[in-house]
Amino acid sequence: MAYQTFRDWLSLLEQRGRVKHISRPVDLTYELTAVSKLCQSQHTLCFSHPVSDTYTQSMPMPVVANSAVCREDFAQALGVSVPELPERLLWAQEHPLAPVMVSRDSAPVKEVIQTQVNLYDLPVPVHHEGDNGAFLTSGVLIAKNPVTGERNLSIHRMQIRGENQLGILMVPHHLSALQQMAEERNEPLQIAVCIGLDPILLLASQAIAPMGFDEYTIAGALYGEGIPLVPCETVDLEVPAHCEIVLEGYIPPHVRKPEGPFGEYPQYYSPQEDSQVVTLTCLTCRRDAIYQTIIPAAEEHLLLGAIARESHMLDVIRQAVPHVRTLQLERGGNRRTNLVIQMEKKTGGDVRAALLAAFACAPEVKFAVAVDTDVDPFDSLDVLWAIATRCQPDEDTFIIPGVHASAMDPSGHGKIGAKMGIDATAPLGSLQSRFRRIKNPFDGAIDLQNYF
Ligand code: MN
């Protein structure tokens, strides 16, 4: 596959007639998010005239939202069909391809270099009414292990706290571990935040890979060639040469300031808590840079995390039950809590083994449903039909208390919660008898245009 930049991706969407251009002034505070949410599953939006009380307009840039709006978009970016998505991401992790270094001269992101950073030069939206200000939501953060130098990529919400100051939320994972290592050495952790990236690099940054695994190499495998990187100006890090904007800086040790509230993926506000901060030392960008935002709790945000999790779960569940066909995290569960597993049942214990494997490897999953191969796991109504007709609550469900859970689930107890497994499969060998679905030979073959 040819290397794709954010711009390549946008022109591909443009050719498909997907992009809507909005030239009227749109307020970065609330309005841009509200419009984008209305289109979250249909249109990529390009706002050419964002305005706000704080945005300086000193280097005007458009805002792009909804740069991927459905599974088909991610599948197209990876050059596969929707059902092949999880396997493709796994394949990429097994076939990592190292990045290549290019010179600053061939790096568009170096067209403008400013060592006096003013974050108010960027058109950063305020998304929801309870948010504590404007948050960067699409930046892929690059950092290195202070001991081994191993690179890490991850996405974090970052609040503008001043001209060159950001707040950052780090849930306990790779970046927080690196920051802790730096802090124990009384050192700042150098970081770079890259904005304006195509779905491949965004997805690679979300892959469930072990600590120390360079997510750039996953992107490389998916591109089919090493991603071109260029050195930063003020930190010892490397960033994609073709991205739109790079913010360089560091997380100082032992500094915590209140972060949040912020409207998060479950469609609730996560509360204010003390968290790390970022001091910026440099901004580099294209001369005509495009600012990318990912709307919180909208489809792009939800799918980015979901596809990576689905890929990981499929891998783990298949080790327990090889004949699992596919799975999906449903939209109704914010693509985190409600899992549907489609499987071919071969023995009586298959279903519970698959459900238990899912709970073991995905902390956020709270309800997991297993369905037969004649049920469409991507159609929530079909899944509800299976629960309605193939599940007896007293026999076919089980609850496991006291398991890892998402701290962002307001009904849970911090990071501990319960799991419910739902067996919505028919008894072994009954799909052609008592549980045979009604069907008509014309099903799926009628074109209504021939009738109306
Ligand atoms: Mn990582």
Side-chain angles (χ1 to χ4, degrees):
M1 190 188 307
Y3 173 70
Q4 287 183 335
T5 66
F6 185 52
R7 287 174 186 227
D8 290 340
W9 174 248
L10 289 179
S11 39
L12 225 143
L13 293 174
E14 193 82 63
Q15 283 162 25
R16 284 166 54 196
R18 161 73 74 63
V19 186
K20 297 284 183 199
H21 294 272
I22 298 170
S23 54
R24 59 176 272 177
V26 174
D27 203 316
L28 287 160
T29 304
Y30 309 139
E31 187 184 9
L32 186 143
T33 296
V35 175
S36 303
K37 281 178 96 170
L38 276 180
C39 306
Q40 61 178 292
S41 304
Q42 282 100 36
H43 303 300
T44 299
L45 301 181
C46 181
F47 299 91
S48 54
H49 193 175
V51 295
S52 86
D53 293 346
T54 49
Y55 176 40
T56 65
Q57 307 261 12
S58 73
M59 40 178 185
M61 45 181 95
V63 177
V64 166
N66 303 346
S67 63
V69 302
C70 54
R71 286 180 192 275
E72 285 73 14
D73 280 355
F74 288 100
Q76 186 185 20
L78 270 58
V80 295
S81 66
V82 170
E84 292 167 330
L85 258 178
E87 272 100 348
R88 185 65 180 170
L89 194 54
L90 282 176
W91 172 88
Q93 278 174 247
E94 285 155 12
H95 299 82
L97 203 53
V100 292
M101 293 307 295
V102 299
S103 72
R104 283 174 167 81
D105 299 341
S106 47
V109 75
K110 300 290 187 183
E111 285 169 3
V112 176
I113 298 177
Q114 295 184 341
T115 46
Q116 281 289 101
V117 182
N118 184 0
L119 285 164
Y120 299 105
D121 289 342
L122 300 179
V124 184
V126 181
H127 297 97
H128 293 103
E129 58 186 7
D131 287 1
N132 189 22
F135 282 72
L136 284 70
T137 53
S138 73
V140 168
L141 191 147
I142 320 294
K144 280 182 184 168
N145 184 313
V147 179
T148 65
E150 289 165 329
R151 213 156 25 204
N152 191 67
L153 272 60
S154 49
I155 300 181
H156 304 265
R157 71 185 203 215
M158 306 179 92
Q159 184 191 353
I160 298 183
R161 302 183 58 99
E163 288 191 356
N164 68 343
Q165 296 289 320
L166 289 164
I168 179 170
L169 178 76
M170 285 190 266
V171 294
H173 202 52
H174 299 163
L175 182 67
S176 64
L178 302 183
Q179 196 271 326
Q180 208 177 327
M181 290 167 76
E183 198 160 68
E184 279 161 12
R185 300 152 67 104
N186 276 319
E187 287 173 6
L189 182 72
Q190 295 187 340
I191 62 139
V193 182
C194 309
I195 298 168
L197 298 166
D198 70 282
I200 285 187
L201 197 49
L202 291 177
L203 201 53
S205 77
Q206 299 305 291
I208 316 286
M211 174 104 169
F213 198 107
D214 182 352
E215 288 88 357
Y216 274 143
T217 65
I218 300 174
L222 295 171
Y223 289 128
E225 53 190 281
I227 179 170
L229 300 181
V230 64
C232 284
E233 302 302 308
T234 58
V235 290
D236 176 27
L237 294 166
E238 302 79 25
V239 290
H242 293 91
C243 73
E244 297 291 322
I245 304 162
V246 170
L247 298 167
E248 303 177 9
Y250 58 90
I251 302 174
H254 312 295
V255 179
R256 300 290 187 276
K257 290 195 174 147
E259 195 276 342
F262 180 72
E264 265 292 350
Y265 77 83
Q267 306 184 55
Y268 289 103
Y269 296 101
S270 61
Q272 188 168 79
E273 280 172 28
D274 282 349
S275 192
Q276 286 84 347
V277 299
V278 173
T279 300
L280 297 176
T281 50
C282 187
L283 179 155
T284 76
C285 66
R286 290 175 179 254
R287 211 165 284 117
D288 56 347
I290 303 168
Y291 183 81
Q292 181 182 23
T293 190
I294 294 177
I295 306 294
E299 190 68 315
E300 181 179 21
H301 176 204
L302 301 179
L303 277 174
L304 269 170
I307 292 167
R309 284 166 174 80
E310 288 163 354
S311 176
H312 174 64
M313 279 192 280
L314 193 62
D315 188 32
V316 173
I317 297 170
R318 276 188 178 155
Q319 290 172 36
V321 184
H323 37 276
V324 162
R325 284 263 182 97
T326 187
L327 47 75
Q328 89 132 342
L329 287 162
E330 285 193 294
R331 182 66 176 86
N334 301 302
R335 300 211 182 280
R336 295 292 185 278
T337 58
N338 299 7
L339 176 72
V340 183
I341 302 173
Q342 187 201 46
M343 58 189 294
E344 210 179 317
K345 210 159 126 174
K346 299 234 189 207
T347 70
D350 282 357
V351 169
R352 287 190 182 218
L355 295 171
L356 287 169
F359 292 141
C361 69
E364 293 121 331
V365 171
K366 189 156 72 163
F367 300 99
V369 185
V371 298
D372 293 301
T373 52
D374 64 341
V375 173
D376 180 358
F378 292 95
D379 178 351
S380 296
L381 285 181
D382 216 28
V383 174
L384 286 172
W385 172 85
I387 294 172
T389 63
R390 293 179 176 177
C391 172
Q392 283 298 309
D394 60 337
E395 295 166 9
D396 299 320
T397 68
F398 60 91
I399 292 172
I400 308 170
V403 196
H404 288 161
S406 166
M408 287 190 192
D409 175 359
S411 75
H413 308 285
K415 293 191 69 95
I416 301 290
K419 312 286 185 188
M420 178 180 237
I422 301 169
D423 179 352
T425 63
L428 264 179
S430 67
L431 284 178
Q432 292 310 319
S433 49
R434 194 165 145 219
F435 288 88
R436 180 183 168 204
R437 286 187 88 155
I438 57 168
K439 200 173 179 315
N440 176 304
F442 284 97
D443 283 349
I446 298 275
D447 182 354
L448 278 179
Q449 301 240 337
N450 300 328
Y451 295 84
F452 294 167

